[in-house]
Amino acid sequence: MTRGAAVPSSTYRLQIRGQFSLSAAAELADYLRSVGVSAIYLSPILQATSGSDHGYDIVSHRQVDPERGGEQGRVALAATARELGLQTVVDIVPNHMGVADAAQNEAWWQLLRDGQDSEYAAWFDVDWKAGNGRIKLPVLGDDATDDQLSVSLTGPSGELRYFEHRFPIAEGTAKPGDTAAEVHARQHYELIGYRRADNEQNYRRFFAVTELAGIRVEDPAVFDASHAEILRWVRDGDVQGIRIDHPDGLADPAGYLDRLAAAAPDSWITVEKITEPGERLPAGWPVAGTTGYDALAEVNNLLYDPAAEVEVSRRYAELTGDRRTWEEHLEQGKRMVADTILHAELLRITRAVRHAQPTLPDSDEEVVRALTELAVGFGVYRSYHPIGAEQLDAAAELAASRRPELRGAITNLLPLLSDAGTEISIRFEQATGAIMAKGVEDTAYYRYNRAVGLNEVGGDPGGFGSTTAEFHAAQLQRQRLLPESMTTLSTHDTKRSEDVRARLAVLPELGERWYGVAERLLAASPIPRQAFGYLLWQSFAGAGWIERARMHAYAEKAMREAAEGTGWRDQDAGFEAAVHQAVDRAYDDPDVHGLLDELLAEITPYGWSNSLSQKLVQLAMPGIPDVYQGTELYDYSLVDPDNRRPVDFELRRQLLAGFDDGSCSTPPLEQAGAAKLWLTSRVLRERRAHPERFSSYLPLTVSGPAAEHAVAFDRGGAVAVATRLPVGLQRAGGWQDTVLELGPGRYLDQLTGEQHQGAVAMAELLRRYPVAFLTPAED
């Protein structure tokens, strides 16, 4: 849906935190304008848990986070943006609040203190009956004892304490001489062992994060209170765009978005919605589109040759012994989280089923098993009944085929799960999204390591690449349906940065050269699970020689997410030691280091080609392009928190200034990523100055022996030409007689200053760079 004049021509995402405040963002605004950006895109800025590095754990909706610059910083940024003609987009978090430190969150503190009588009881999604009138807080360690609890009766109501954790004491429930255990027994909450959360958690969370409690924005009063400050920024003209975090966690996403759009009718609204291949946003949602993971997948797939899939799959199985298909990994990952960290959500639905249908013939155990099978078999994150009803039908058929003994229970559940707007239907929809996210993105993506560059948010690890014809078809659809949706290549949530993926896409092209290196690396540094070793060595190929501590941190997170051999809850010291030894050997063992050095030297130039190609395609394709902080230069970041490291903006300022004063024009590919900044600034400036040149989509014809290595399209005056599969291109002898057919008139390549018209030889057009960005030449 078009949102009118507020639609930016591009955005630039900034991670606002204590080390980079709103005031720092204001000081950077002139640089961003010089790059060509038209909107500053901010991570959440409402008050978050003290020390939060990301801001998604909001503790108060009433004010801007003082650690992030406070109201003074926000006003200064708004004034600077207005002066420079820049818009502002803010990321908001309607689904949950941070409750790690109850004392920092007034609403949560009062809920714990006063229970169901609290003025905030309607805010949080608590199953009071399941807790016998108490909220169960899974904070106790394995060896917790009553004597580890203590009571302080100072302050307004006193506190119950467990090490660093502090909790309120209800009025009249503690007196001098009471033991801490006695006081605890009288509260509206019960502290329980953290392992018990799997089955006993009785408040909705963000996924399985007990420190993030779901809130009920479907309640108009909760919506109004939690959005008052944000909407004030909109009314004051300080904010023109809103990014919605995790809409799939909400009870009624469509109702929420309708209410938000009515309150901010001129805002550009995007949603962090992950769609599966072939899935579309619900047509009735009043939004411009998604935050771009769908576009990321379309661009990333261009870097892979579908014809290579069979060989890639065969060699992966041989090298690692992992012969499971992606579908098997997906099922196993989802089943694991449904049976463990998210099992409490299915138990809650089971209780709702029993309450609604007390005479249901199936036992509670059969109901929860049937719900598990349905969630595991669900093909997308969630449905929005009646939208997506066919997904539930398909999941039911798959679940029944996998567990024939549950067919009766599944059949009995379908009418309840299909009854739109009921508690059972809503909670199941919320649960399937969480199980997909944790079981797939955060588990299977770290287990199925055939080609890890495809294991990306919004991607399909079970697929392998796309043809240019498929890409063009997707863009024609995007231009028709979502011309104002965001596009991206890197975010704070991507598993690895765009430039890491650009290198990883080279590996399948190398074929036996890569497989031979991988075999030697796996043998030199054995890890109990070879598939994880294959992930580790691909990570070195993609990220290169990053700081040792960063690779150790990544390896630790990756192996615990995979949860095969070790895990977050129960670590296997031997397995983890083997992984860390392999990391150290990469840096210290001359043979291992030499193997990687030779590989990196070989793939890096091809990686640069892929980096520039995918960047041009993303910046020029239909949609509103976002640039994640720092990625206007080559950036080799891994999963968070690695991708939230400080950015050297002074270096970027100096490079851009060199372009503009003529001291550094048409930079070489290898110059600290300068060519990427050169490309980014040329395209974004053109989009801002001439939006009419980006108003349509026309695939351009490339003919000749190397035609499959080019993707070219005309956006309505602006033409993008990019190289794909660069290794294969070189092995085939280059472009040879391959020709691009331009439309009428003369075109200026904004990257080289050269002019072209008619049938242009690709060898001539891409002599300087692997990409060309053409605009109408001035007479």
Side-chain angles (χ1 to χ4, degrees):
M1 175 178 178
T2 300
R3 306 299 305 166
V7 179
S9 62
S10 64
T11 63
Y12 189 100
R13 169 75 176 212
L14 292 173
Q15 295 297 116
I16 305 299
R17 52 185 180 167
Q19 298 86 348
F20 187 86
S21 68
L22 290 161
S23 297
E27 294 172 1
L28 189 68
D30 63 326
Y31 161 76
L32 298 181
R33 175 164 178 78
S34 294
V35 172
V37 170
S38 78
I40 302 172
Y41 169 25
L42 305 175
S43 62
I45 60 173
L46 287 172
Q47 185 171 358
T49 302
S50 180
S52 171
D53 195 41
H54 49 76
Y56 288 93
D57 47 354
I58 290 167
V59 297
S60 174
H61 297 96
R62 295 175 179 171
Q63 63 177 352
V64 177
D65 194 341
E67 293 184 8
R68 287 171 164 73
E71 178 67 4
Q72 183 177 359
R74 187 196 69 79
V75 170
L77 174 58
T80 300
R82 189 176 296 110
E83 180 182 345
L84 293 172
L86 295 172
Q87 297 173 317
T88 301
V89 177
V90 293
D91 191 344
I92 68 171
V93 190
N95 179 69
H96 53 266
M97 294 187 74
V99 298
D101 182 354
Q104 293 187 42
N105 187 324
E106 178 187 356
W108 187 248
W109 184 267
Q110 289 196 27
L111 180 74
L112 297 183
R113 186 189 66 198
D114 301 332
Q116 296 176 73
D117 294 329
S118 168
E119 63 179 294
Y120 290 102
W123 275 57
F124 297 96
D125 190 358
V126 181
D127 186 348
W128 293 99
K129 186 176 181 180
N132 295 316
R134 304 174 78 184
I135 305 175
K136 296 192 175 186
L137 304 178
V139 299
L140 302 181
D142 285 331
D143 56 354
T145 58
D146 285 347
D147 60 10
Q148 292 171 333
L149 300 175
S150 63
V151 172
S152 171
L153 296 181
T154 60
S157 63
E159 294 178 357
L160 181 68
R161 296 175 179 173
Y162 174 70
F163 293 102
E164 74 276 14
H165 301 286
R166 302 160 55 203
F167 306 96
I169 294 176
E171 184 177 356
T173 61
K175 59 183 182 296
D178 287 344
T179 66
E182 289 172 330
V183 172
H184 175 218
R186 302 177 189 131
Q187 302 312 308
H188 297 288
Y189 54 86
E190 179 186 2
L191 307 185
I192 64 174
Y194 72 95
R195 294 180 187 272
R196 291 170 60 185
D198 289 0
N199 294 311
E200 299 181 45
Q201 185 85 55
N202 68 331
Y203 63 89
R204 185 172 62 83
R205 305 155 289 171
F206 169 72
F207 298 153
V209 184
T210 57
E211 294 86 0
L212 297 174
I215 62 173
R216 300 180 59 255
V217 289
E218 64 271 22
D219 183 321
V222 178
F223 176 92
D224 291 343
S226 60
H227 288 68
E229 185 69 359
I230 295 160
L231 293 174
R232 180 177 71 83
W233 305 338
V234 173
R235 287 194 304 272
D236 290 350
D238 295 341
V239 165
Q240 293 76 35
I242 303 173
R243 182 260 197 194
I244 310 301
D245 180 66
H246 190 47
D248 276 353
L250 304 180
D252 180 14
Y256 168 80
L257 292 169
D258 284 341
R259 186 174 288 118
L260 181 66
D266 297 321
S267 295
W268 179 63
I269 300 176
T270 57
V271 289
E272 186 212 20
K273 166 63 186 172
I274 312 301
T275 55
E276 291 297 295
E279 184 186 10
R280 295 182 185 176
L281 274 183
W285 284 10
V287 300
T290 73
T291 54
Y293 292 114
D294 47 352
L296 186 160
E298 291 164 6
V299 177
N300 194 35
N301 283 338
L302 262 183
L303 305 183
Y304 291 82
D305 182 2
E309 180 174 14
V310 172
E311 180 67 6
V312 170
S313 298
R314 182 182 70 82
R315 295 298 275 132
Y316 169 64
E318 291 174 352
L319 287 166
T320 68
D322 180 12
R323 300 186 183 279
R324 290 171 290 178
T325 65
W326 166 243
E327 290 72 22
E328 290 171 326
H329 275 285
L330 186 149
E331 177 191 350
Q332 291 167 12
K334 293 178 74 174
R335 189 177 303 284
M336 183 192 77
V337 300
D339 287 341
T340 56
I341 59 175
L342 290 168
H343 194 60
E345 313 304 321
L346 299 176
L347 291 174
R348 185 170 184 178
I349 301 169
T350 299
R351 293 192 293 270
V353 168
R354 186 60 63 196
H355 178 76
Q357 293 284 348
T359 61
L360 196 73
D362 311 292
S363 68
D364 286 357
E365 181 182 354
E366 288 172 323
V367 170
V368 75
R369 287 172 59 203
L371 288 169
T372 298
E373 291 303 323
L374 286 165
V376 170
F378 216 77
V380 297
Y381 277 71
R382 65 168 283 177
S383 57
Y384 312 89
H385 264 84
I387 299 171
E390 72 282 356
Q391 297 291 346
L392 179 59
D393 293 338
E397 199 55 44
L398 179 59
S401 69
R402 287 172 172 169
R403 297 290 187 272
E405 73 278 12
L406 294 174
R407 183 176 290 275
I410 291 167
T411 300
N412 292 336
L413 283 173
L414 282 180
L416 298 173
L417 296 174
S418 302
D419 192 0
T422 63
E423 180 185 8
I424 295 168
S425 176
I426 289 169
R427 293 201 183 284
F428 183 73
E429 290 179 329
Q430 291 172 308
T432 60
I435 290 169
M436 177 75 88
K438 294 305 296 179
V440 181
E441 288 180 35
D442 293 345
T443 303
Y445 275 16
Y446 292 92
R447 292 178 172 182
Y448 181 71
N449 299 314
R450 179 181 66 162
V452 298
L454 292 169
N455 296 13
E456 192 52 87
V457 182
D460 177 19
F464 197 89
S466 69
T467 64
T468 53
E470 291 168 335
F471 175 80
H472 288 315
Q475 300 323 300
L476 287 166
Q477 177 174 288
R478 180 174 296 277
Q479 178 66 35
R480 185 175 71 255
L481 299 177
L482 295 170
E484 295 168 354
S485 185
M486 184 181 286
T487 71
T488 192
L489 289 181
S490 298
T491 77
H492 62 287
D493 273 339
T494 44
K495 301 302 182 185
R496 44 194 64 82
S497 71
E498 60 204 63
D499 297 312
V500 170
R501 292 197 308 272
R503 279 184 181 166
L504 289 171
V506 178
L507 300 181
E509 282 208 86
L510 292 181
E512 281 305 316
R513 167 75 176 112
W514 156 243
Y515 301 127
V517 172
E519 187 170 21
R520 293 172 65 186
L521 290 169
L522 289 167
S525 302
I527 293 172
R529 289 185 178 271
Q530 291 284 65
F532 187 81
Y534 199 57
L535 164 65
L536 181 65
W537 298 123
Q538 288 179 80
S539 300
F540 270 105
W545 295 119
I546 61 175
E547 295 89 337
R548 185 191 303 244
R550 288 174 56 198
M551 188 59 81
H552 273 297
Y554 171 74
E556 179 176 283
K557 177 170 182 174
M559 63 176 142
R560 292 180 180 176
E561 293 280 52
E564 287 188 322
T566 190
W568 286 112
R569 183 175 293 177
D570 297 300
Q571 289 87 52
D572 183 302
F575 185 94
E576 297 202 355
V579 172
H580 287 299
Q581 288 168 9
V583 172
D584 283 331
R585 188 166 291 175
Y587 290 92
D588 300 332
D589 185 304
D591 292 335
V592 175
H593 193 91
L595 272 175
L596 286 169
D597 247 353
E598 291 177 8
L599 178 69
L600 285 165
E602 185 171 349
I603 68 175
T604 293
Y606 299 121
W608 288 333
S609 177
N610 281 340
S611 287
L612 294 185
S613 290
Q614 68 177 352
K615 198 64 186 173
L616 173 60
V617 170
Q618 181 247 336
L619 295 177
M621 69 192 284
I624 308 303
D626 175 58
V627 177
Y628 183 70
Q629 62 174 32
T631 60
E632 64 270 37
L633 297 189
Y634 298 138
D635 173 75
Y636 299 99
S637 296
L638 296 167
V639 74
D640 70 282
D642 192 61
N643 56 20
R644 296 198 299 267
R645 302 184 328 281
V647 176
D648 186 350
F649 285 113
E650 185 55 35
L651 170 63
R652 288 157 175 78
R653 277 187 183 276
Q654 292 174 5
L655 287 171
L656 188 62
F659 299 160
D660 291 339
D661 67 19
S663 62
C664 182
S665 59
T666 60
L669 285 179
E670 65 275 12
Q671 186 189 337
K676 194 178 179 191
L677 175 58
W678 174 251
L679 167 67
T680 300
S681 57
R682 300 313 100 176
V683 180
L684 294 189
R685 289 180 181 184
E686 185 71 11
R687 289 195 72 130
R688 188 175 62 196
H690 294 286
E692 74 281 359
R693 294 177 179 172
F694 297 85
S695 58
S696 60
Y697 188 87
L698 176 68
L700 293 181
T701 299
V702 180
S703 56
E708 66 173 336
H709 294 281
V711 57
F713 52 86
D714 185 340
R715 289 298 321 282
V719 172
V721 186
T723 300
R724 61 187 294 265
L725 309 176
V727 177
L729 175 64
Q730 185 180 60
R731 287 176 175 174
W735 293 109
Q736 302 177 63
D737 297 328
T738 306
V739 172
L740 167 69
E741 296 288 343
L742 290 173
R746 289 182 298 111
Y747 287 84
L748 172 69
D749 187 342
Q750 295 276 3
L751 305 179
T752 65
E754 298 172 351
Q755 293 193 12
H756 305 276
Q757 62 182 353
V760 182
M762 290 290 289
E764 175 189 349
L765 181 64
L766 303 186
R767 183 177 65 253
R768 183 71 179 81
Y769 294 119
V771 294
F773 177 56
L774 310 173
T775 57
E778 302 294 335
D779 293 329

